[in-house]
Amino acid sequence: MDAPSIRDLVPLDHVWDQMERVEARLFEATQAEDPFLTKLAQHLLVAGGKRFRPLLAQLAAEFGPAHDGRRVEAGVAVELIHVGSLYHDDVMDEAMLRRGEPSGNAVWGDSMAILAGDFLLARASQVAATHLGLESVLLLATTYATLVEGQTLELQLDYDLDHRADEYYRVIGGKTASLIRAAARLGALASDAPPDVVEALSAWAWELGIVFQITDDALDLVATDDFLGKPAGSDILEGKITLPVLYALESEDGPRVRYLLADQPYDPGAVRQVIDIVRSGGHVDRSLVDATERIGAAEEAIAGLPDLPARSILTDMGEFLLRQVTAARSA
């Protein structure tokens, strides 16, 4: 089964026109006086990506009356935050691949990759300050602080086989859901949506962000290397104990998983066995049940929004993410 296409989910030509403008603006906004810094900062932009967060900003902007360039700038700002954080993530994780290409730190070293991330975060602030106003600048700053808190907690929990699901949810709320919520909120603010609509979209996006990370963690356990663009099982190898593994540890499979993960760094062969246990024990499916409950909460949050085509798309977004896992399983 092929992975479902985001373009099929979003059959709105004007939204994709805006996304083309977002793409062009991303490269404009990351031009530096030093050509080497430009190349470094644009490395992950050139590598591609789903541009999921700027797309959410464009969809959220459908619910406001203003139709100007601010919605595009909202998408640019949130994507610069996201990509900047990826440079930092890869340094912390010592990752050699990103989106199927060598990571920035693999090519130029940790110091240069950190500087590239810093540059992109600075550019995000410039875009927001120039085009979106003080409220959006504050939103991005607050969101990035929350993202750092989530990542800090995640690092503290590396290789910890005794933490619980509530701590996992704190991690993914900080490092993932907060930025996805910011994307929708920025888009809504950029279109001058009413306050109640801004809040509804923000609540929806928070739940969707949780679903996004649960399904992404499930993909790491069920997908092939080619599907992921990085080695399957990378999360466990890096010491990230994600929700399906936590559920396995709580079950009758727990003693075997603990035995296989007793020594650090984890042996790749042991990790492959853990993945087999997590798959066969139904622990991935249990995590997807949690995701399905979150999808219901997301749909409830936007049930009162105007009956626009964008609302139907948002309603279907969670199931779209779940279908990615189904497609990876059958690939």
Side-chain angles (χ1 to χ4, degrees):
M1 178 188 296
D2 292 333
S5 165
I6 193 74
R7 278 196 172 263
D8 291 338
L9 179 68
V10 185
L12 302 177
D13 289 344
H14 67 280
V15 167
W16 294 110
D17 289 343
Q18 288 157 204
M19 288 299 294
E20 289 183 7
R21 292 171 59 198
V22 168
E23 195 70 16
R25 280 286 296 125
L26 283 169
F27 284 90
E28 290 173 4
T30 51
Q31 290 282 335
E33 291 186 11
D34 182 348
F36 174 73
L37 178 56
T38 299
K39 181 179 180 180
L40 179 60
Q42 293 181 350
H43 175 68
L44 290 185
L45 293 176
V46 172
K50 300 182 182 71
R51 306 289 188 252
F52 186 69
R53 292 155 190 82
L55 177 60
L56 294 186
Q58 306 316 300
L59 291 170
E62 292 289 289
F63 293 91
H67 295 274
D68 54 44
R70 286 178 294 162
R71 58 182 63 195
V72 168
E73 301 300 334
V76 171
V78 74
E79 187 69 359
L80 290 174
I81 291 281
H82 172 57
V83 177
S85 72
L86 295 183
Y87 281 90
H88 293 167
D89 285 352
D90 288 342
V91 170
M92 290 186 292
D93 297 338
E94 299 180 355
M96 294 294 101
L97 288 176
R98 170 67 68 177
R99 296 168 176 167
E101 300 292 335
S103 60
N105 49 295
V107 179
W108 292 288
D110 290 352
S111 295
M112 288 298 184
I114 291 169
L115 289 171
D118 291 345
F119 178 71
L120 293 175
L121 297 173
R123 285 293 198 233
S125 296
Q126 285 182 298
V127 168
T130 303
H131 301 283
L132 302 176
L134 180 60
E135 183 175 3
S136 294
V137 174
L138 179 60
L139 172 60
L140 285 175
T142 303
T143 298
Y144 196 68
T146 302
L147 189 154
V148 171
E149 289 182 7
Q151 290 177 322
T152 301
L153 177 58
E154 182 179 50
L155 287 173
Q156 292 177 76
L157 296 174
D158 277 359
Y159 300 101
D160 182 353
L161 304 182
D162 295 311
H163 73 278
R164 310 289 293 195
D166 61 334
E167 291 173 298
Y168 167 84
Y169 279 114
R170 284 173 57 201
V171 167
I172 69 172
K175 77 170 191 175
T176 302
S178 64
L179 191 56
I180 286 178
R181 177 175 60 187
R185 193 173 186 90
L186 279 175
L189 291 170
S191 68
D192 297 333
D196 61 325
V197 171
V198 173
E199 295 307 323
L201 289 165
S202 298
W204 167 84
W206 174 266
E207 300 296 341
L208 187 80
I210 299 294
V211 174
F212 183 96
Q213 191 60 58
I214 292 174
T215 54
D216 192 63
D217 292 343
L219 283 171
D220 188 66
L221 296 166
V222 304
T224 63
D225 295 5
D226 289 342
F227 190 98
L228 293 170
K230 62 179 181 177
S234 293
D235 289 340
I236 303 177
L237 282 169
E238 294 166 2
K240 312 301 180 190
I241 311 301
T242 56
L243 189 61
V245 182
L246 289 175
Y247 283 155
L249 287 163
E250 294 175 359
S251 74
E252 61 185 14
D253 293 319
R256 178 61 178 166
V257 174
R258 286 181 182 276
Y259 172 78
L260 291 166
L261 300 181
D263 298 319
Q264 303 170 17
Y266 296 150
D267 176 73
V271 168
R272 285 192 293 272
Q273 292 183 61
V274 169
I275 291 172
D276 289 341
I277 291 169
V278 173
R279 287 176 175 176
S280 62
H283 307 299
V284 172
D285 292 325
R286 183 181 172 190
S287 72
L288 296 179
V289 169
D290 288 11
T292 300
E293 292 175 356
R294 294 285 185 154
I295 289 171
E299 292 173 356
E300 184 177 348
I302 57 171
L305 291 185
D307 188 16
L308 302 175
R311 195 186 78 180
S312 296
I313 293 167
L314 299 187
T315 300
D316 292 341
M317 190 72 75
E319 291 295 333
F320 169 83
L321 294 174
L322 285 180
R323 290 199 300 273
Q324 299 285 328
V325 180
T326 302
R329 279 175 153 165
S330 58

